């Protein structure tokens, strides 16, 4: 008579030549899954790691999601740096097994801050070189007598500044055939927004007085050296959003259809 039974590990000895396999329970399981961030489905699938019920994501994927970089220890898997979601503050994760989807609820503090502001860095001047210039304006007329006149301005510049001189030439000038107008040395400092003038100059126009020509030394602030610099208060806007926003500028008329 034949008999049937279940053999246990104590009843049977290992077969000669068999190889025993040990499974590491702490080894992560790799998978591809979709990711939903604060209710928004992210495009594509992402490589995830699962170990002991904890999900790990790649650090570079966190950067693509504009989340703050991890401060804890990362794990290297196949050349990629992974970090556990449990190590990130303000992140709640749930996994949808049937759809193979990772659902993330992330607080606004876990995202990188977005700042929109005009450039505050002062533009540095380019390298200077020795240069010279000559400007002239010639006029001639005849009304019973020929008159010839010219306005001439010449200058020399280098990294030390500009030396310039202007004058009127011709037989139609009031003070003779040559009249000096302006002679000055000028040096601008775009980094510190200052200007130094030695020689002939003119004051700024004010509401209560006219401009005055003078000879001497003038040193002061010159905001025109940085055209992009704003010298008046500007509004500051701040806020937070749980979902990364997208801004779509609309130019032109906007038609609303009910």
């Amino acid at each position: 008579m034949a008999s049937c039974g279940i053999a246990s590990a104590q009843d049977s000895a290992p077969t000669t030549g068999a190889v025993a396999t040990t499974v590491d329970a702490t080894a992560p399981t790799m998978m591809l899954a979709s990711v939903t961030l604060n209710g928004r489905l992210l495009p594509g699938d992402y490589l995830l790691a699962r170990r002991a019920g904890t999900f790990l994501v790649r650090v570079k994927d966190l950067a693509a999601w504009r989340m703050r970089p991890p401060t804890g220890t990362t794990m290297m898997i196949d050349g990629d740096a992974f970090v556990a979601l449990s190590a990130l503050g303000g992140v709640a994760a749930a996994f949808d097994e049937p759809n193979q989807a990772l659902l993330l609820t992330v607080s606004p503090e876990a995202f990188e801050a977005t700042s929109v502001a005009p450039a505050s860095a002062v533009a540095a001047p380019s390298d200077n070189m020795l240069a010279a210039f000559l400007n002239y304006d010639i006029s001639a007329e005849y009304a019973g007598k020929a008159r010839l006149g010219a306005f001439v301005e010449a200058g020399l510049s280098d990294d030390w500044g500009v030396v310039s001189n202007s004058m009127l030439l011709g037989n139609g000038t009031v003070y003779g055939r040559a009249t000096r107008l302006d002679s000055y040395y000028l040096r601008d400092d775009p980094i510190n927004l200052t200007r130094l003038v030695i020689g002939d100059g003119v004051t700024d126009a004010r509401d209560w007085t006219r401009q005055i020509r003078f000879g001497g030394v003038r040193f002061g602030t010159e905001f025109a050296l940085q055209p992009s610099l704003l010298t008046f208060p500007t509004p500051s806007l701040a806020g937070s959003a749980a979902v990364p926003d997208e801004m779509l500028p609309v130019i032109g008329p906007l038609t609303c259809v009910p």
Side-chain angles (χ1 to χ4, degrees):
M1 175 182 292
S3 62
C4 298
I6 300 176
S8 62
Q10 290 100 355
D11 298 334
S12 59
T15 307
T16 305
V19 179
T21 303
T22 302
V23 178
D24 187 2
T26 62
T29 302
M30 310 303 295
M31 65 177 68
L32 284 174
S34 61
V35 176
T36 300
L37 182 61
N38 288 344
R40 178 186 177 186
L41 179 62
L42 301 179
D45 293 332
Y46 294 89
L47 182 62
L48 307 176
R50 189 174 188 178
R51 186 182 67 171
T54 301
F55 285 93
L56 298 90
V57 297
R58 293 182 296 185
V59 175
K60 63 181 181 181
D61 289 336
L62 291 178
W65 303 339
R66 301 198 68 256
M67 294 177 59
R68 295 184 183 275
T71 57
T73 305
T74 58
M75 176 186 295
M76 297 301 298
I77 303 176
D78 296 334
D80 286 329
F82 282 76
V83 63
L85 291 176
S86 58
L88 303 178
V91 178
F95 191 70
D96 185 358
E97 292 283 357
N99 297 319
Q100 291 292 292
L102 181 63
L103 310 178
L104 297 179
T105 303
V106 183
S107 63
E109 293 76 13
F111 289 101
E112 290 282 2
T114 300
S115 177
V116 180
S120 58
V122 177
S126 58
D127 295 335
N128 298 319
M129 61 181 299
L130 182 64
F133 64 90
L134 175 65
N135 298 324
Y136 60 90
D137 188 1
I138 301 176
S139 63
E141 65 176 11
Y142 182 83
K145 181 181 178 181
R147 293 194 176 196
L148 180 65
F151 169 78
V152 180
E153 180 184 17
L156 185 69
S157 66
D158 203 347
D159 54 358
W160 38 260
V162 179
V163 175
S164 176
N165 180 69
S166 60
M167 59 193 314
L168 290 176
L169 302 174
N171 58 359
T173 60
V174 179
Y175 301 102
R177 296 183 177 273
T179 303
R180 186 185 66 84
L181 298 179
D182 291 325
S183 301
Y184 61 87
Y185 163 76
L186 182 147
R187 178 176 175 81
D188 289 334
D189 186 357
I191 302 299
N192 298 315
L193 300 176
T194 57
R195 171 172 290 177
L196 171 65
V197 180
I198 302 176
D200 299 319
V202 59
T203 60
D204 295 333
R206 301 301 180 190
D207 296 336
W208 59 86
T209 184
R210 297 178 299 173
Q211 290 181 298
I212 300 175
R213 303 188 68 88
F214 68 94
V217 179
R218 178 185 179 187
F219 178 78
T221 303
E222 184 59 54
F223 293 113
L225 297 176
Q226 294 290 340
S228 61
L229 179 65
L230 300 178
T231 58
F232 53 88
T234 57
S236 177
L237 304 178
S240 61
V243 179
D245 291 335
E246 294 181 359
M247 182 175 63
L248 178 63
V250 178
I251 302 176
L254 181 63
T255 303
C256 297
V257 179

